[in-house]
Amino acid sequence: MKDQDIPLLEVKNLESYISTPKGEMKPVNGVSFSIQKGEIVALVGESGSGKSVTSLSIMQLNDSAIKYKSGSIISLNEVNLLDLNEKEMRKIRGNRIAMVFQDPMFSLNPLHPIGEQIAESIVLQKKVKYKEALKTALDLLKKVGIPDAERRLKDYPHQLSGGMRQRIMIAIALACKPDLLIADEPTTALDVTIQAQVLNLLRNLQQEFGLSILLITHDLGVVAETADRVLVMYCGKIVEEGSVNDIFESPRHPYTKGLMESIPAIHGTSEETLAAIPGVVPNLLELPAGCNFVKRCAYATEKCKTDEPSLLQHPSGNKVACWHPLKEGEVIRHAAAVSYS
Ligand code: SF4
């Protein structure tokens, strides 16, 4: 097997659960996927689909309420991250895998200049002298496109715009040259122009450093702009997987198709109505017996109510978890009021 065929990260049948007074629920329920070196993989889905818990599980930054049940997260050096203790995991975080969150204000310390914050994270991870780390911090600020970088090193977080703060977080994440960057809704808090700049920056960094990126987002516009491959998550499971082209051009799962139809078309008219997926994501404690999407799906049959579909290879190239995958270019029927008792 060639090096480029070995995944940088391989998540196998990951399950995590939360114990509640009403029972055990699984925000991540048997998730498997891999990320190759230099690949940008987007994990998409509505709120509550389990995408953020999946990313936190990789970093093992879950709060104590979330426990792992089974599965493995194998990183490039063949280590199962779930077997590591907190001390060992700290060496992985930052060095091998770094993470950028939605709101940089929560991650930056308001009391210290940003140069100091970047330099200190480099000193901590790389054990270099502070002066050398500060020089690296300056190079990183230039790399992520901060204008007048030398002066900005002395700025406090509140003196920077939202877009600049997110660039600073990306600079901190890149400080130790990680193999994988997990970006959890990195542009959600930014306006559209700045959002495009940050996405461009991620793309450029991926090309320059061969960085792999796991992009967590609910925004399909961001996915179309940035990702190579897409994983669609629903109720803690991956329901469709494919290249960004195949997912956008020819989605096979009714849920994916519904997500696509809820995006405004660039050349659409102002009279055009967007199709919303009917119903809501079910309560994880009360999932249906068969397919989790059954109550919102116009294609549901008796089989869908009783048998759970597995994620299987479809002849189109996508992997789909559905008993009745859509045909190419099929106009979707909408389940306006599907109700099963
Ligand atoms: Fe719809 Fe059935 Fe496919 Fe589920 S398995 S998405 S209910 S057609």
Side-chain angles (χ1 to χ4, degrees):
M1 194 184 265
K2 290 184 221 147
D3 254 12
Q4 64 263 35
D5 297 331
I6 302 170
L8 181 81
L9 185 91
E10 192 164 20
V11 176
K12 285 186 190 165
N13 200 24
L14 180 68
E15 291 189 0
S16 59
Y17 70 98
I18 301 174
S19 288
T20 75
K22 290 187 176 166
E24 187 180 279
M25 67 178 183
K26 287 187 192 163
V28 179
N29 191 358
V31 164
S32 299
F33 65 91
S34 61
I35 303 177
Q36 302 295 324
K37 185 168 167 46
E39 193 180 29
I40 301 185
V41 175
L43 192 53
V44 303
E46 294 164 280
S47 295
S49 58
K51 49 194 197 310
S52 283
V53 179
T54 303
S55 68
L56 291 174
S57 301
I58 296 169
M59 292 295 270
Q60 291 182 55
L61 288 172
N62 292 330
D63 68 47
S64 54
I66 301 174
K67 309 273 183 242
Y68 305 111
K69 187 149 197 167
S70 61
S72 59
I73 302 171
I74 313 284
S75 73
L76 186 62
N77 48 0
E78 293 292 303
V79 171
N80 182 358
L81 302 184
L82 296 186
D83 289 341
L84 302 184
N85 60 33
E86 178 52 26
K87 194 174 164 203
E88 292 165 326
M89 205 45 222
R90 251 184 259 137
K91 288 187 193 150
I92 300 277
R93 286 188 212 116
N95 270 323
R96 307 294 307 261
I97 308 176
M99 193 156 180
V100 174
F101 295 93
Q102 179 178 334
D103 193 341
M105 264 322 238
F106 285 118
S107 310
L108 290 167
N109 187 330
L111 303 176
H112 295 275
I114 50 120
E116 193 181 307
Q117 296 190 49
I118 304 175
E120 270 172 8
S121 84
I122 297 169
V123 170
L124 211 65
Q125 298 284 349
K126 293 284 174 200
K127 313 282 180 243
V128 293
K129 295 238 162 60
Y130 184 80
K131 210 170 159 188
E132 193 185 325
L134 203 58
K135 193 173 165 300
T136 308
L138 177 62
D139 291 343
L140 282 166
L141 286 201
K142 290 179 184 164
K143 188 71 75 188
V144 298
I146 300 280
D148 200 2
E150 205 143 354
R151 184 170 64 82
R152 291 293 186 186
L153 278 177
K154 299 181 190 102
D155 278 356
Y156 289 82
H158 74 271
Q159 293 173 288
L160 302 169
S161 66
M164 273 203 216
R165 283 197 290 266
Q166 195 54 290
R167 283 167 189 268
I168 301 294
M169 289 316 299
I170 293 170
I172 292 176
L174 293 178
C176 296
K177 301 198 175 84
D179 301 307
L180 173 68
L181 177 70
I182 300 179
D184 192 350
E185 304 278 5
T187 58
T188 304
L190 306 175
D191 71 42
V192 179
T193 324
I194 308 298
Q195 191 176 54
Q197 290 172 6
V198 171
L199 292 177
N200 263 342
L201 171 66
L202 288 177
R203 250 294 172 214
N204 292 341
L205 293 171
Q206 175 253 339
Q207 280 164 7
E208 191 176 337
F209 298 112
L211 188 68
S212 305
I213 300 177
L214 177 62
L215 182 66
I216 314 289
T217 182
H218 67 280
D219 184 337
L220 290 168
V222 167
V223 175
E225 287 286 315
T226 322
D228 300 310
R229 201 151 52 84
V230 184
L231 311 166
V232 181
M233 247 186 126
Y234 188 74
C235 290
K237 289 175 178 285
I238 291 174
V239 296
E240 186 157 11
E241 174 182 347
S243 71
V244 73
N245 267 354
D246 288 343
I247 291 284
F248 276 80
E249 293 298 318
S250 190
R252 302 294 171 162
H253 195 285
Y255 177 63
T256 314
K257 179 84 173 175
L259 287 179
M260 296 298 157
E261 296 213 336
S262 60
I263 323 175
I266 291 174
H267 303 296
T269 63
S270 53
E271 288 84 39
E272 207 170 281
T273 47
L274 294 176
I277 302 172
V280 291
V281 178
N283 182 337
L284 291 181
L285 287 169
E286 293 163 9
L287 290 176
C291 172
N292 290 331
F293 193 56
V294 71
K295 291 188 180 178
R296 305 174 78 186
C297 182
Y299 298 81
T301 59
E302 286 305 311
K303 186 180 177 71
C304 304
K305 293 184 205 171
T306 51
D307 297 356
E308 192 174 2
S310 305
L311 188 69
L312 298 174
Q313 190 69 55
H314 184 270
S316 66
N318 292 3
K319 284 184 183 169
V320 195
C322 175
W323 294 120
H324 312 293
L326 300 171
K327 298 185 182 65
E328 179 146 19
E330 183 171 344
V331 177
I332 195 171
R333 300 199 297 266
H334 289 288
V338 180
S339 161
Y340 300 110
S341 49

